[in-house]
Amino acid sequence: MTKDQTTNYGFGTNAIHVGAPIDPHTGAVIEPVSLSTTFAQSEPSKPLGIYEYSRSANPNRDNFEIAVAKLENAKYALALASGSATTALIIQSLPVNSHIVSSGDVYGGTHRYFTKVANTHGVEATFVGDLVKDLKSNLRENTKLVWLETPSNPTLKVTNINKVKEILNEHESVTGNKVLLVVDNTFLSPYISNPLNFGADIVIHSVTKYINGHSDVVMGVLAVNDDELHEKLRFLQNAIGSIPSPFDSWLAHRGLKTLHLRVKQASESALKIAEYLSSHSKVSLVNYPGLKTHENHDVVLKQHRNGLGGGMISFRINGGAQAASVFTSSTKLFTLAESLGGIESLIEVPAIMTHGGIPKAERESNGVYDDLVRISVGIEETDDLLADIEQALERV
Ligand SMILES: *Cc1c(COP(=O)(O)O)cnc(C)c1O
């Protein structure tokens, strides 16, 4: 029995069936974990099947990649050892003396890579507050790539991908220089948004977050449509060896099959929590893309499925760093920890945790003050989560 992968099914159906063939030998509905590092050949250089050596390709990784490509509306996907390895691979594909422009409030590890690693192999980064406003004046002769995170981390600013692409298209038509647009789609997952549809050349994810979704795998993935770009990145990955294990690929693929249910539930709870926080006297500001009051809500309605805001919220609490510390130490269901996108709710203070490595002035210019709290809404019961936030706010 083969599965029909050509019909135009909805997201949830594709998440479950694409890249999930029934095993032709045993009939197993769920693929086995394929641990073999090497694959037999019948004659020198004539493999029995399509595999030779597991760094180059592995059945579990292939199946996961096929599924992600489908869900990101891409031709190809490439799974990597981590989200950070994905970033590193893309930057290493650039020639020396390249320049990149990045949104300012990117993931802390991305900022660290751009400022402390990329420069050691001749790639320089410029950070701008708002890509739509500030990109054009920051493009140089040697600009090769634009890095965009939407919604941004942790202030959840939403950027119009299409507008950024228009600026790059205009730049290309004037100078002849092609600049790649990379979108880090980790915060939304492919269920809420597909950046390639809006003009991105590469979409990336930390699979560690929503795609795996169970806080038990560190992995990354990228997806592209361009044949040449895909070839180049796959070649580089094989040369560098930044691959995920078969077991992690298998686990992440299992997680992916429930992505639509998890993200829908997290978004639904997050909207209620964001509304509750917005009306609370101890909260001075709420950043949540699903709120109608969000400054880029018009873009959210265009770029996000059903205007969903996702599971991430950040807010400023009255009483400074001390209040943020008391609040985040008082929740019972929201675990005080870094990371996001899992089934369990998490809470953290970006200024001294995830974004602690960014200089204070730069951090604050991006809205990351000492009193900013970031939460990742999990899929527990909404009322229980609301009650937990309420009791913790009472302690502040
Ligand atoms: C976590 C994260 C990364 C890095 O991914 P790892 O899997 O931890 O290496 C990159 N971008 C965003 C937005 C993230 O949240």
Side-chain angles (χ1 to χ4, degrees):
M1 192 174 91
T2 54
K3 285 191 191 171
D4 174 8
Q5 306 204 338
T6 55
T7 310
N8 209 5
Y9 292 122
F11 188 99
T13 309
N14 286 330
I16 289 162
H17 291 287
V18 175
I22 284 161
D23 189 295
H25 305 296
T26 65
V29 169
I30 297 299
E31 60 171 328
V33 183
S34 184
L35 294 173
S36 190
T37 55
T38 188
F39 297 84
Q41 311 199 359
S42 56
E43 293 170 42
S45 207
K46 286 250 171 345
L48 290 178
I50 59 171
Y51 298 102
E52 287 174 56
Y53 184 61
S54 203
R55 171 162 36 74
S56 310
N58 163 278
N60 299 110
R61 200 161 96 224
D62 273 3
N63 285 335
F64 174 75
E65 288 175 351
I66 289 165
V68 170
K70 180 73 181 177
L71 300 180
E72 273 295 7
N73 199 18
K75 223 162 141 184
Y76 310 102
L78 208 61
L80 290 104
S82 67
S84 304
T86 312
T87 304
L89 186 80
I90 293 168
I91 302 307
Q92 285 192 45
S93 75
L94 302 176
V96 279
N97 300 323
S98 293
H99 172 245
I100 64 183
V101 183
S102 169
S103 36
D105 46 357
V106 281
Y107 175 68
T110 302
H111 186 276
R112 180 177 56 210
Y113 193 87
F114 289 170
T115 53
K116 301 213 163 85
V117 185
N119 56 344
T120 65
H121 46 94
V123 175
E124 189 195 345
T126 300
F127 294 93
V128 300
D130 180 337
L131 278 173
V132 173
K133 276 200 213 115
D134 308 329
L135 175 57
K136 198 171 168 189
S137 59
N138 281 288
L139 288 170
R140 302 180 192 167
E141 180 72 32
N142 61 338
T143 305
K144 298 283 188 224
L145 185 144
V146 168
W147 193 277
L148 162 56
E149 230 177 273
T150 178
S152 68
N153 178 12
T155 51
L156 301 155
K157 282 184 225 129
V158 173
T159 302
N160 190 328
I161 300 168
N162 221 200
K163 282 253 166 74
V164 174
K165 183 63 179 182
E166 275 171 18
I167 295 163
L168 295 181
N169 282 343
E170 193 193 312
H171 175 74
E172 188 177 352
S173 70
V174 174
T175 64
N177 296 335
K178 161 109 181 133
V179 179
L180 289 176
L181 177 57
V182 182
V183 174
D184 183 337
N185 195 28
T186 299
F187 269 37
L188 294 180
S189 87
Y191 180 67
I192 297 187
S193 190
N194 295 130
L196 298 181
N197 294 356
F198 301 102
D201 297 291
I202 307 177
V203 55
I204 78 149
H205 290 273
S206 167
V207 169
T208 317
K209 317 298 168 46
Y210 286 101
I211 289 183
N212 179 61
H214 294 71
S215 307
D216 48 15
V217 172
V218 173
M219 223 172 109
V221 73
L222 64 84
V224 296
N225 277 318
D226 187 77
D227 298 338
E228 231 173 88
L229 187 56
H230 165 246
E231 279 301 314
K232 184 175 174 179
L233 293 169
R234 196 171 280 281
F235 170 83
L236 196 56
Q237 180 189 32
N238 185 46
I240 293 171
S242 48
I243 54 155
S245 74
F247 186 56
D248 282 352
S249 302
W250 187 94
L251 273 177
H253 194 175
R254 177 164 84 164
L256 181 68
K257 291 172 185 172
T258 56
L259 178 69
H260 52 300
L261 300 177
R262 291 184 283 105
V263 171
K264 244 185 274 186
Q265 177 63 35
S267 292
E268 203 176 289
S269 292
L271 178 60
K272 291 198 174 130
I273 292 168
E275 282 166 350
Y276 172 78
L277 289 169
S278 301
S279 65
H280 201 285
S281 62
K282 290 182 183 170
V283 173
S284 62
L285 175 77
V286 179
N287 302 311
Y288 183 63
L291 288 175
K292 289 193 180 64
T293 51
H294 187 278
E295 71 167 311
N296 313 114
H297 194 67
D298 56 325
V299 184
V300 171
L301 293 176
K302 273 208 295 210
Q303 257 168 223
H304 297 198
R305 181 192 299 268
N306 302 329
L308 290 175
M312 300 301 294
I313 306 171
S314 67
F315 63 96
R316 296 185 67 184
I317 191 163
N318 295 337
Q322 173 66 13
S325 172
V326 171
F327 177 74
T328 53
S329 309
S330 302
T331 51
K332 294 184 172 120
L333 287 173
F334 287 84
T335 302
L336 180 56
E338 298 193 359
S339 199
L340 61 115
I343 49 173
E344 68 292 310
S345 295
L346 300 177
I347 195 158
E348 65 122 359
V349 182
I352 51 172
M353 293 174 68
T354 48
H355 292 64
I358 302 174
K360 186 176 165 96
E362 192 180 337
R363 197 168 31 79
E364 295 198 338
S365 73
N366 282 318
V368 188
Y369 297 96
D370 294 345
D371 59 8
L372 190 78
V373 174
R374 187 187 84 175
I375 65 182
S376 169
V377 179
I379 59 169
E380 301 93 337
E381 297 291 342
T382 311
D383 289 345
D384 293 336
L385 295 177
L386 277 167
D388 192 31
I389 287 185
E390 194 175 350
Q391 68 80 24
L393 278 171
E394 271 161 25
R395 286 168 192 257
V396 175

